[in-house]
Amino acid sequence: MQALWQKYKSILAYLFWGVVTTIVNLASYQWLSTGLHWNFEVATVIAWFLSVLVAYFTNKVWVFGSHYTTVKAFVVELIQFFFYRGLTLLLDMLIVYIGVSLLGFRSPLGQFIVKIIDNILVVIANYVFSKWLIFKSNEKMMKK
């Protein structure tokens, strides 16, 4: 059992903190758009920014255990994280556009199915970017 835990610890932590990040995104969007009556596009961008910020620190500390020794390493890692999350935001928008506009999944159920498929692909892409490009590449930079 211990061997299985060690093998899948980062994936389980990633999924747990992903749920927390999703809650931050949804709650902040709801509060800004409904509670404060802000424009939904503005609320979406701010909610995305807040959730990516939460994701960065939780992934850094509790998922990938990234440690930096300089301000430069921290800034590079933070910029990379936001850059790759921005790419997956574009992927998110593209998948929804294809599913809803091009393939015609316009019903509420159809859109929900597209969004589930979309989220699965985005979560996988975010994990790959984080594990092999963001936090891994900074280990090399910090050794210099």
Side-chain angles (χ1 to χ4, degrees), residues 6-85:
Q6 288 302 319
K7 184 175 182 180
Y8 297 109
K9 180 172 62 172
S10 72
I11 292 172
L12 293 173
Y14 182 79
L15 292 174
F16 172 80
W17 289 110
V19 169
V20 171
T21 300
T22 301
I23 291 168
V24 167
N25 183 281
L26 295 173
S28 57
Y29 173 81
Q30 194 66 23
W31 178 64
L32 293 168
S33 66
T34 305
L36 297 180
H37 305 287
W38 286 15
N39 177 283
F40 76 92
E41 287 101 345
V42 173
T44 298
V45 170
I46 293 172
W48 175 83
F49 179 81
L50 292 173
S51 63
V52 170
L53 200 58
V54 168
Y56 171 71
F57 286 107
T58 58
N59 278 241
K60 174 179 192 42
V61 175
W62 290 299
V63 178
F64 299 107
S66 173
H67 304 286
Y68 54 85
T69 55
T70 66
V71 172
K72 178 184 176 188
F74 170 75
V75 170
V76 167
E77 187 177 76
L78 184 65
I79 289 170
Q80 286 178 333
F81 194 84
F82 270 87
F83 172 77
Y84 286 111
R85 290 298 166 112

